[in-house]
Amino acid sequence: MRMPFTEFITNGDLKFIIVFVIFSATAIVHFVKKLKSKNSPEYQKLVKYHNSKIDIAAFWILISGILSLLLGLMHSFYFIGKAGGIAPNLIFQGISTALITPVLGVALFMICKILKGTFNSLKQNA
């Protein structure tokens, strides 16, 4: 049995998903600017600049994903401790919910790294 994608996204922590959207949008904007600069005389300099911005966005997505993992696990274990004991299926459901946002963060991190590495060696039209 699989979790539907819409349920996967909506069960994640909204504040981290908003952060992921902001940094992903930043990475996409710089990727588009990198593509548009291929006819520029200072192409290599612009590619380095835009790649550094994509790299920074990817870094903060990864850091936010790690933070969401730690906060999600802390939140899950807090309520398990408050309950004084809990059924194993509820423990696993809580942990799986806590892992949603970090998985999304790692996936977006990898996408940003792919955007950084794409179209770096385009030759300038002379």
Side-chain angles (χ1 to χ4, degrees):
M1 189 159 75
R2 295 184 328 191
M3 179 186 298
F5 185 72
T6 54
E7 186 179 339
F8 173 77
I9 294 299
T10 56
N11 280 345
D13 194 353
L14 183 61
K15 60 185 163 285
F16 286 106
I17 292 176
I18 290 171
V19 168
F20 292 159
V21 167
I22 290 170
F23 284 118
S24 297
T26 303
I28 290 170
V29 165
H30 281 285
F31 177 71
V32 169
K33 287 182 179 182
K34 180 171 80 167
L35 289 179
K36 287 183 178 180
S37 70
K38 69 180 178 181
N39 294 327
S40 173
E42 38 187 42
Y43 173 71
Q44 292 301 322
K45 182 179 176 184
L46 289 172
V47 166
K48 286 181 184 179
Y49 172 75
H50 292 302
N51 279 345
S52 72
K53 295 299 181 184
I54 294 170
D55 209 24
I56 290 169
F59 171 77
W60 283 110
I61 288 172
L62 184 64
I63 294 298
S64 299
I66 292 169
L67 181 61
S68 72
L69 171 67
L70 296 174
L71 289 176
L73 289 175
M74 187 174 70
H75 186 259
S76 294
F77 290 134
Y78 172 78
F79 284 107
I80 291 170
K82 283 295 230 184
I86 197 163
N89 60 341
L90 293 176
I91 291 173
F92 294 132
Q93 184 178 0
I95 291 175
S96 68
T97 301
L99 291 174
I100 290 172
T101 312
V103 167
L104 181 62
V106 169
L108 290 173
F109 172 79
M110 291 187 299
I111 289 170
C112 287
K113 287 298 191 175
I114 290 169
L115 290 179
K116 178 187 173 195
T118 306
F119 300 118
N120 286 340
S121 62
L122 287 177
K123 298 295 180 190
Q124 205 175 333
N125 293 339

